[in-house]
Amino acid sequence: MNTAAVLHGAGHLTVEQRPRTTPPPGYAEVKIMSTTLCGSDLHYYAHGRNGTFALRHPLVLGHEAAGVITAVTPSANGTPSPLRVGQRVAIECGIPCCLSQSSSSSSDCKFCKSGRYNLCPRLRFCSSAKTHPHLDGTLQNYLVHPIQLLHPLPTGMSYELGALAEPLGVVIHAARRAGLMASPSPSSTSVGANAKGARVLVFGAGAVGLLACMLARALGATQVVCVDVNEGRLQFAKQAGFVDQIFNPLASTSPSSSSSSSSSSQSSAASSSSSSPSPSWADQLAAKMGSAKVTAERIMHAAGMDNDEVGEEGFDVVFECSGAEPCIQAGIYAARLGGKVLLVGMGTPNVSLPLSAAACREVDLIGVFRYATTYPAALALLSSGVLEGVEKMITHTFDLDQTKEAFDVMKRGVDQDGRLVVKVCVRGE
C-alpha cells in the first residue's frame, strides 16, 4: 500500500492508504524520502486554491522532492533505462506533453522541441490544480514518474538537499533569463557564471529569495541586498551569510536629503489628496508610484549608491521574489539604466507599474515561470559547496503522518518555541 497525505479542501488534510501502481513503459516508481514544502503548497492547504488554480477534487501536494528508485519499466521500444533500482534521484515534477503517457515521443509541441518545455500548454505539474484531473504530488510514500525527469543525486548528497534542486531551479532559470548564467545543453552541469561585478537586489526573504541571494554571490556578484518586511527572516539571511546587506522598509528610516525631500513631496500630495472626499484613481496611482520611488531611493542610499537626478546608479539585476505589487514597482525604480527586473514571485495577479520609468531607461521586465533543463546544474551547485550554508534553510522536519502539523507550523511562521520557520521538510516513511 501507499501512504499519502491528501488535501480535500482548505485546512482539510488526511493521511490515507492507497494502492500502489505499476509504472508504465518509460516510467519508474520512486520511494519518496524527502519533500520540502513550497509556498504554493501552503496556499492550497490554507485556501484550497493557489491564485486562480482551485482544488476540484482531492489532491496530494508536494513537488520539491528526492527519493530512491524501487521499480523501473523499460520504454516501449525496448531501450534500456539509464536508471536502476536503488538509485537515488531528485524528481522534476513538471511533465510536458512530449513525456506524458498519452503522447508519443514525437510531440510536435514547439515549446518542447525548443527546450522551453516549462511553457508547454499541455504540461501537467505534480501538486498543481491548474489541470484537471489534477496530478498528485510527492507527499506520499511512492510516486510513479517519467524516467527522463528523474535526476541522479551526487554521491553523498542528502535527500533533503536534493529536494532543494527544485526551488534552486527556479532561481537558475531566472538567472539564465537575465544573462547571469549561460544556458547550457540539457545534461550540462556547467554553471557558466556571467555575474562578476554585478549589483543584485532581491525582494523577498523566503526560500526562493534566499536561494537567489546565495546564487548571485556564488556567481560573482559584488553586492547582494535583500529586502523584506519580516525582520526575523532578514536577520536569518544576514546571520547565515547569505547576503551582504538587508533592508526592512518598515523598520528603516530615510537618511538622505533626496529621499527626505521626496517623502515630503509625497506627504504634501497625500495631504492635498486627503482634503478631497474621495481621491481620484489617478491621484491614488500617483501616490503609489511616489511611495515606490521613495522606497527604491532609500534602498539605494542604504546600499551606498549615489541617488542622482540622472539615475546612473542602481542595481544591475533585481530578483522580485515576493509577488507583491509595491515591491515590483520599487524594483523598477531601483534598477539601473539598462538593468533587468526578474518577475519570479507569484502574487498579485494584476498590478499597476511605472512603465515609463522602465521604458525610458530601458529596464527589462522579464517573466519567469518555473524552469527548464536546470536540474543538472542545480544538483552540481548544491554538491559543490559554493552555496555555503544552504542546508540551514531547512529549519523544521516532520514525518509523513505529521503533514498537517507541518503545514500548520509553516502557516504560523514560527514554531511553539518561537523559532523562525524558513523551510519545512516532510520525510517519507
Side-chain angles (χ1 to χ4, degrees), residues 109-155:
C109 173
K110 64 180 180 181
F111 297 105
C112 288
K113 282 185 173 180
S114 67
R116 300 184 73 182
Y117 58 84
N118 58 310
L119 300 180
C120 169
R122 294 185 291 275
L123 181 143
R124 300 183 70 208
F125 198 84
C126 299
S127 78
S128 172
K130 180 181 180 181
T131 55
H132 184 265
H134 312 325
L135 190 62
D136 284 335
T138 61
L139 286 172
Q140 54 184 324
N141 268 348
Y142 296 96
L143 178 76
V144 171
H145 206 64
I147 289 170
Q148 291 185 51
L149 297 174
L150 301 176
H151 304 274
L153 294 184
T155 302

Short mmCIF file of all heavy atoms in Angstrom, two decimals, residues 109-155:
data_model
loop_
_atom_site.label_atom_id
_atom_site.label_comp_id
_atom_site.label_asym_id
_atom_site.label_seq_id
_atom_site.Cartn_x
_atom_site.Cartn_y
_atom_site.Cartn_z
N CYS A 109 4.99 19.74 -30.26
CA CYS A 109 4.92 20.95 -29.45
C CYS A 109 6.19 21.78 -29.65
O CYS A 109 7.30 21.32 -29.40
CB CYS A 109 4.75 20.58 -27.98
SG CYS A 109 4.86 21.99 -26.85
N LYS A 110 6.02 23.03 -30.11
CA LYS A 110 7.19 23.86 -30.40
C LYS A 110 7.97 24.20 -29.14
O LYS A 110 9.19 24.43 -29.19
CB LYS A 110 6.77 25.13 -31.13
CG LYS A 110 5.88 26.07 -30.34
CD LYS A 110 5.52 27.31 -31.16
CE LYS A 110 4.63 28.26 -30.38
NZ LYS A 110 4.26 29.45 -31.19
N PHE A 111 7.29 24.26 -28.00
CA PHE A 111 7.98 24.59 -26.75
C PHE A 111 8.82 23.40 -26.27
O PHE A 111 9.94 23.57 -25.81
CB PHE A 111 6.97 25.01 -25.68
CG PHE A 111 6.22 26.26 -26.05
CD1 PHE A 111 4.90 26.20 -26.46
CD2 PHE A 111 6.84 27.49 -26.00
CE1 PHE A 111 4.21 27.35 -26.82
CE2 PHE A 111 6.16 28.65 -26.35
CZ PHE A 111 4.84 28.57 -26.77
N CYS A 112 8.27 22.20 -26.38
CA CYS A 112 9.05 21.02 -26.01
C CYS A 112 10.25 20.86 -26.95
O CYS A 112 11.36 20.53 -26.51
CB CYS A 112 8.17 19.77 -26.07
SG CYS A 112 6.94 19.66 -24.74
N LYS A 113 10.03 21.09 -28.23
CA LYS A 113 11.11 20.92 -29.21
C LYS A 113 12.23 21.94 -29.02
O LYS A 113 13.40 21.64 -29.25
CB LYS A 113 10.55 21.03 -30.63
CG LYS A 113 9.82 19.79 -31.12
CD LYS A 113 9.42 19.95 -32.58
CE LYS A 113 8.86 18.65 -33.13
NZ LYS A 113 8.47 18.79 -34.57
N SER A 114 11.87 23.13 -28.57
CA SER A 114 12.87 24.19 -28.43
C SER A 114 13.57 24.17 -27.08
O SER A 114 14.48 24.98 -26.84
CB SER A 114 12.21 25.56 -28.63
OG SER A 114 11.30 25.84 -27.58
N GLY A 115 13.15 23.27 -26.19
CA GLY A 115 13.77 23.19 -24.87
C GLY A 115 13.09 24.06 -23.82
O GLY A 115 13.48 24.05 -22.66
N ARG A 116 12.04 24.79 -24.22
CA ARG A 116 11.30 25.63 -23.25
C ARG A 116 10.04 24.89 -22.82
O ARG A 116 8.92 25.41 -22.86
CB ARG A 116 10.96 26.99 -23.88
CG ARG A 116 12.19 27.78 -24.29
CD ARG A 116 11.81 29.16 -24.81
NE ARG A 116 11.40 30.04 -23.72
CZ ARG A 116 10.98 31.30 -23.91
NH1 ARG A 116 10.90 31.78 -25.14
NH2 ARG A 116 10.63 32.04 -22.88
N TYR A 117 10.24 23.66 -22.40
CA TYR A 117 9.08 22.80 -22.08
C TYR A 117 8.30 23.28 -20.87
O TYR A 117 7.18 22.84 -20.64
CB TYR A 117 9.52 21.35 -21.90
CG TYR A 117 10.55 21.11 -20.83
CD1 TYR A 117 10.19 20.97 -19.49
CD2 TYR A 117 11.91 21.00 -21.16
CE1 TYR A 117 11.15 20.74 -18.51
CE2 TYR A 117 12.87 20.78 -20.18
CZ TYR A 117 12.48 20.65 -18.86
OH TYR A 117 13.43 20.42 -17.88
N ASN A 118 8.86 24.20 -20.09
CA ASN A 118 8.10 24.77 -18.97
C ASN A 118 6.90 25.57 -19.46
O ASN A 118 5.95 25.80 -18.71
CB ASN A 118 9.00 25.67 -18.11
CG ASN A 118 9.63 26.80 -18.89
OD1 ASN A 118 10.23 26.58 -19.95
ND2 ASN A 118 9.54 28.01 -18.39
N LEU A 119 6.93 25.99 -20.74
CA LEU A 119 5.82 26.74 -21.33
C LEU A 119 4.87 25.85 -22.12
O LEU A 119 3.91 26.36 -22.71
CB LEU A 119 6.37 27.84 -22.25
CG LEU A 119 7.27 28.89 -21.59
CD1 LEU A 119 7.73 29.91 -22.62
CD2 LEU A 119 6.55 29.57 -20.44
N CYS A 120 5.11 24.55 -22.14
CA CYS A 120 4.24 23.60 -22.85
C CYS A 120 2.80 23.78 -22.37
O CYS A 120 2.52 23.65 -21.17
CB CYS A 120 4.70 22.17 -22.61
SG CYS A 120 3.53 20.91 -23.19
N PRO A 121 1.86 24.09 -23.26
CA PRO A 121 0.48 24.32 -22.82
C PRO A 121 -0.21 23.08 -22.28
O PRO A 121 -1.22 23.18 -21.58
CB PRO A 121 -0.21 24.84 -24.08
CG PRO A 121 0.63 24.37 -25.22
CD PRO A 121 2.03 24.32 -24.70
N ARG A 122 0.35 21.91 -22.58
CA ARG A 122 -0.25 20.66 -22.09
C ARG A 122 0.55 20.05 -20.92
O ARG A 122 0.30 18.91 -20.53
CB ARG A 122 -0.38 19.65 -23.23
CG ARG A 122 -1.36 20.10 -24.32
CD ARG A 122 -1.58 19.05 -25.38
NE ARG A 122 -0.38 18.84 -26.20
CZ ARG A 122 -0.08 19.58 -27.26
NH1 ARG A 122 -0.84 20.60 -27.61
NH2 ARG A 122 1.00 19.32 -27.98
N LEU A 123 1.50 20.83 -20.40
CA LEU A 123 2.30 20.34 -19.27
C LEU A 123 1.42 20.10 -18.05
O LEU A 123 0.53 20.90 -17.74
CB LEU A 123 3.41 21.34 -18.94
CG LEU A 123 4.36 20.97 -17.79
CD1 LEU A 123 5.78 21.44 -18.11
CD2 LEU A 123 3.93 21.59 -16.46
N ARG A 124 1.66 19.01 -17.36
CA ARG A 124 0.96 18.72 -16.11
C ARG A 124 2.00 18.72 -14.99
O ARG A 124 3.07 18.13 -15.12
CB ARG A 124 0.24 17.37 -16.17
CG ARG A 124 -0.79 17.30 -17.29
CD ARG A 124 -1.53 15.98 -17.25
NE ARG A 124 -2.41 15.90 -16.09
CZ ARG A 124 -2.75 14.76 -15.49
NH1 ARG A 124 -2.25 13.62 -15.92
NH2 ARG A 124 -3.58 14.77 -14.47
N PHE A 125 1.65 19.40 -13.90
CA PHE A 125 2.61 19.58 -12.81
C PHE A 125 2.08 18.92 -11.55
O PHE A 125 0.94 19.17 -11.12
CB PHE A 125 2.83 21.08 -12.56
CG PHE A 125 4.07 21.39 -11.78
CD1 PHE A 125 5.29 21.50 -12.40
CD2 PHE A 125 4.01 21.56 -10.40
CE1 PHE A 125 6.44 21.79 -11.68
CE2 PHE A 125 5.14 21.85 -9.67
CZ PHE A 125 6.38 21.97 -10.32
N CYS A 126 2.90 18.05 -10.97
CA CYS A 126 2.51 17.36 -9.74
C CYS A 126 2.17 18.37 -8.65
O CYS A 126 2.95 19.30 -8.40
CB CYS A 126 3.64 16.46 -9.25
SG CYS A 126 4.12 15.17 -10.41
N SER A 127 1.05 18.21 -8.01
CA SER A 127 0.56 19.02 -6.90
C SER A 127 -0.11 20.31 -7.33
O SER A 127 -0.46 21.14 -6.50
CB SER A 127 1.66 19.35 -5.87
OG SER A 127 2.50 20.39 -6.30
N SER A 128 -0.32 20.50 -8.64
CA SER A 128 -0.98 21.71 -9.12
C SER A 128 -2.41 21.40 -9.55
O SER A 128 -2.69 20.36 -10.15
CB SER A 128 -0.22 22.29 -10.32
OG SER A 128 -0.95 23.35 -10.90
N ALA A 129 -3.31 22.34 -9.25
CA ALA A 129 -4.71 22.21 -9.66
C ALA A 129 -4.97 22.91 -10.98
O ALA A 129 -6.13 23.08 -11.38
CB ALA A 129 -5.63 22.76 -8.57
N LYS A 130 -3.92 23.32 -11.69
CA LYS A 130 -4.10 24.03 -12.95
C LYS A 130 -4.80 23.15 -13.98
O LYS A 130 -5.66 23.61 -14.74
CB LYS A 130 -2.74 24.50 -13.50
CG LYS A 130 -2.85 25.25 -14.82
CD LYS A 130 -1.48 25.68 -15.33
CE LYS A 130 -1.61 26.42 -16.66
NZ LYS A 130 -0.29 26.84 -17.20
N THR A 131 -4.41 21.87 -14.03
CA THR A 131 -5.02 20.95 -14.98
C THR A 131 -6.00 20.03 -14.26
O THR A 131 -5.90 19.82 -13.05
CB THR A 131 -3.95 20.10 -15.69
OG1 THR A 131 -3.15 19.42 -14.70
CG2 THR A 131 -3.05 20.97 -16.55
N HIS A 132 -6.95 19.51 -15.01
CA HIS A 132 -7.95 18.59 -14.45
C HIS A 132 -8.08 17.36 -15.35
O HIS A 132 -8.21 17.51 -16.56
CB HIS A 132 -9.31 19.30 -14.33
CG HIS A 132 -10.36 18.46 -13.68
ND1 HIS A 132 -11.27 17.72 -14.42
CD2 HIS A 132 -10.62 18.22 -12.39
CE1 HIS A 132 -12.07 17.08 -13.59
NE2 HIS A 132 -11.70 17.36 -12.36
N PRO A 133 -8.01 16.14 -14.77
CA PRO A 133 -7.82 15.88 -13.34
C PRO A 133 -6.43 16.30 -12.86
O PRO A 133 -5.48 16.29 -13.64
CB PRO A 133 -8.02 14.37 -13.23
CG PRO A 133 -7.71 13.85 -14.59
CD PRO A 133 -8.13 14.91 -15.56
N HIS A 134 -6.34 16.67 -11.58
CA HIS A 134 -5.07 17.09 -11.01
C HIS A 134 -4.09 15.92 -10.98
O HIS A 134 -4.49 14.75 -10.96
CB HIS A 134 -5.26 17.61 -9.59
CG HIS A 134 -6.38 18.58 -9.44
ND1 HIS A 134 -6.73 19.50 -10.41
CD2 HIS A 134 -7.25 18.80 -8.40
CE1 HIS A 134 -7.75 20.23 -10.00
NE2 HIS A 134 -8.09 19.82 -8.79
N LEU A 135 -2.81 16.26 -10.96
CA LEU A 135 -1.76 15.25 -10.87
C LEU A 135 -1.17 15.28 -9.47
O LEU A 135 -0.68 16.32 -9.01
CB LEU A 135 -0.67 15.54 -11.91
CG LEU A 135 0.39 14.47 -12.12
CD1 LEU A 135 -0.23 13.18 -12.63
CD2 LEU A 135 1.44 14.98 -13.13
N ASP A 136 -1.24 14.15 -8.77
CA ASP A 136 -0.78 14.09 -7.38
C ASP A 136 0.71 14.38 -7.25
O ASP A 136 1.51 14.04 -8.13
CB ASP A 136 -1.08 12.71 -6.77
CG ASP A 136 -2.55 12.55 -6.42
OD1 ASP A 136 -3.21 13.57 -6.17
OD2 ASP A 136 -3.02 11.40 -6.37
N GLY A 137 1.06 14.99 -6.11
CA GLY A 137 2.43 15.36 -5.83
C GLY A 137 3.17 14.32 -5.00
O GLY A 137 2.82 13.13 -4.98
N THR A 138 4.16 14.77 -4.25
CA THR A 138 5.14 13.87 -3.63
C THR A 138 4.94 13.62 -2.14
O THR A 138 5.75 12.93 -1.53
CB THR A 138 6.56 14.43 -3.84
OG1 THR A 138 6.65 15.73 -3.22
CG2 THR A 138 6.87 14.56 -5.32
N LEU A 139 3.88 14.16 -1.54
CA LEU A 139 3.62 13.87 -0.13
C LEU A 139 2.92 12.52 0.00
O LEU A 139 1.79 12.39 0.47
CB LEU A 139 2.80 15.00 0.50
CG LEU A 139 3.59 16.29 0.77
CD1 LEU A 139 2.66 17.41 1.21
CD2 LEU A 139 4.68 16.06 1.81
N GLN A 140 3.62 11.50 -0.46
CA GLN A 140 3.17 10.12 -0.41
C GLN A 140 4.41 9.23 -0.41
O GLN A 140 5.52 9.69 -0.70
CB GLN A 140 2.26 9.80 -1.60
CG GLN A 140 2.85 10.13 -2.95
CD GLN A 140 1.88 9.88 -4.09
OE1 GLN A 140 1.09 8.94 -4.06
NE2 GLN A 140 1.91 10.74 -5.11
N ASN A 141 4.23 7.98 -0.07
CA ASN A 141 5.40 7.10 0.02
C ASN A 141 5.98 6.75 -1.34
O ASN A 141 7.20 6.60 -1.48
CB ASN A 141 5.02 5.80 0.76
CG ASN A 141 5.29 5.91 2.25
OD1 ASN A 141 5.95 6.85 2.70
ND2 ASN A 141 4.77 4.97 3.02
N TYR A 142 5.10 6.58 -2.35
CA TYR A 142 5.58 6.16 -3.67
C TYR A 142 4.97 7.03 -4.76
O TYR A 142 3.80 7.39 -4.71
CB TYR A 142 5.21 4.69 -3.94
CG TYR A 142 5.86 3.72 -2.99
CD1 TYR A 142 5.18 3.27 -1.86
CD2 TYR A 142 7.16 3.26 -3.21
CE1 TYR A 142 5.77 2.39 -0.97
CE2 TYR A 142 7.75 2.37 -2.33
CZ TYR A 142 7.06 1.95 -1.21
OH TYR A 142 7.65 1.07 -0.33
N LEU A 143 5.79 7.36 -5.76
CA LEU A 143 5.35 8.16 -6.90
C LEU A 143 5.83 7.48 -8.18
O LEU A 143 7.00 7.10 -8.29
CB LEU A 143 5.94 9.57 -6.82
CG LEU A 143 5.60 10.51 -7.99
CD1 LEU A 143 4.16 11.01 -7.87
CD2 LEU A 143 6.57 11.70 -8.03
N VAL A 144 4.94 7.34 -9.15
CA VAL A 144 5.31 6.82 -10.47
C VAL A 144 5.54 8.01 -11.39
O VAL A 144 4.67 8.89 -11.53
CB VAL A 144 4.20 5.90 -11.02
CG1 VAL A 144 4.48 5.54 -12.48
CG2 VAL A 144 4.11 4.63 -10.18
N HIS A 145 6.71 8.05 -12.04
CA HIS A 145 7.12 9.27 -12.74
C HIS A 145 7.99 8.93 -13.95
O HIS A 145 8.68 7.89 -13.96
CB HIS A 145 7.94 10.14 -11.76
CG HIS A 145 7.90 11.59 -12.07
ND1 HIS A 145 6.76 12.36 -12.02
CD2 HIS A 145 8.91 12.46 -12.43
CE1 HIS A 145 7.04 13.61 -12.31
NE2 HIS A 145 8.33 13.70 -12.58
N PRO A 146 7.99 9.80 -15.00
CA PRO A 146 8.82 9.54 -16.18
C PRO A 146 10.31 9.46 -15.82
O PRO A 146 10.83 10.30 -15.08
CB PRO A 146 8.55 10.76 -17.08
CG PRO A 146 7.20 11.25 -16.66
CD PRO A 146 7.13 11.00 -15.18
N ILE A 147 10.97 8.48 -16.39
CA ILE A 147 12.39 8.26 -16.11
C ILE A 147 13.23 9.49 -16.50
O ILE A 147 14.18 9.86 -15.79
CB ILE A 147 12.89 7.01 -16.87
CG1 ILE A 147 12.29 5.74 -16.23
CG2 ILE A 147 14.42 6.92 -16.86
CD1 ILE A 147 12.51 4.47 -17.04
N GLN A 148 12.85 10.13 -17.60
CA GLN A 148 13.64 11.28 -18.08
C GLN A 148 13.58 12.48 -17.14
O GLN A 148 14.37 13.42 -17.29
CB GLN A 148 13.16 11.69 -19.48
CG GLN A 148 13.50 10.67 -20.55
CD GLN A 148 13.13 11.17 -21.93
OE1 GLN A 148 13.49 12.28 -22.32
NE2 GLN A 148 12.39 10.36 -22.69
N LEU A 149 12.66 12.46 -16.19
CA LEU A 149 12.53 13.57 -15.24
C LEU A 149 13.04 13.19 -13.85
O LEU A 149 12.74 13.87 -12.86
CB LEU A 149 11.07 14.03 -15.16
CG LEU A 149 10.51 14.59 -16.48
CD1 LEU A 149 9.02 14.88 -16.35
CD2 LEU A 149 11.26 15.85 -16.90
N LEU A 150 13.84 12.13 -13.80
CA LEU A 150 14.49 11.71 -12.55
C LEU A 150 15.99 11.95 -12.70
O LEU A 150 16.61 11.45 -13.64
CB LEU A 150 14.20 10.24 -12.26
CG LEU A 150 12.72 9.86 -12.12
CD1 LEU A 150 12.57 8.36 -11.93
CD2 LEU A 150 12.07 10.62 -10.97
N HIS A 151 16.56 12.72 -11.79
CA HIS A 151 17.95 13.15 -11.92
C HIS A 151 18.79 12.58 -10.79
O HIS A 151 18.52 12.82 -9.61
CB HIS A 151 18.01 14.67 -11.89
CG HIS A 151 17.14 15.32 -12.94
ND1 HIS A 151 17.58 15.54 -14.23
CD2 HIS A 151 15.85 15.76 -12.90
CE1 HIS A 151 16.61 16.11 -14.93
NE2 HIS A 151 15.55 16.25 -14.15
N PRO A 152 19.83 11.79 -11.12
CA PRO A 152 20.66 11.15 -10.09
C PRO A 152 21.27 12.16 -9.12
O PRO A 152 21.79 13.20 -9.53
CB PRO A 152 21.75 10.45 -10.91
CG PRO A 152 21.14 10.24 -12.26
CD PRO A 152 20.25 11.43 -12.49
N LEU A 153 21.19 11.83 -7.84
CA LEU A 153 21.81 12.68 -6.82
C LEU A 153 23.31 12.43 -6.80
O LEU A 153 23.77 11.29 -6.91
CB LEU A 153 21.24 12.36 -5.44
CG LEU A 153 19.76 12.67 -5.17
CD1 LEU A 153 19.43 12.37 -3.70
CD2 LEU A 153 19.44 14.11 -5.49
N PRO A 154 24.10 13.48 -6.63
CA PRO A 154 25.56 13.29 -6.46
C PRO A 154 25.85 12.44 -5.23
O PRO A 154 25.08 12.43 -4.26
CB PRO A 154 26.06 14.72 -6.28
CG PRO A 154 25.04 15.59 -6.91
CD PRO A 154 23.73 14.90 -6.66
N THR A 155 26.94 11.76 -5.27
CA THR A 155 27.35 10.92 -4.14
C THR A 155 27.44 11.74 -2.87
O THR A 155 28.05 12.80 -2.85
CB THR A 155 28.71 10.26 -4.44
OG1 THR A 155 28.60 9.50 -5.65
CG2 THR A 155 29.12 9.34 -3.29
#
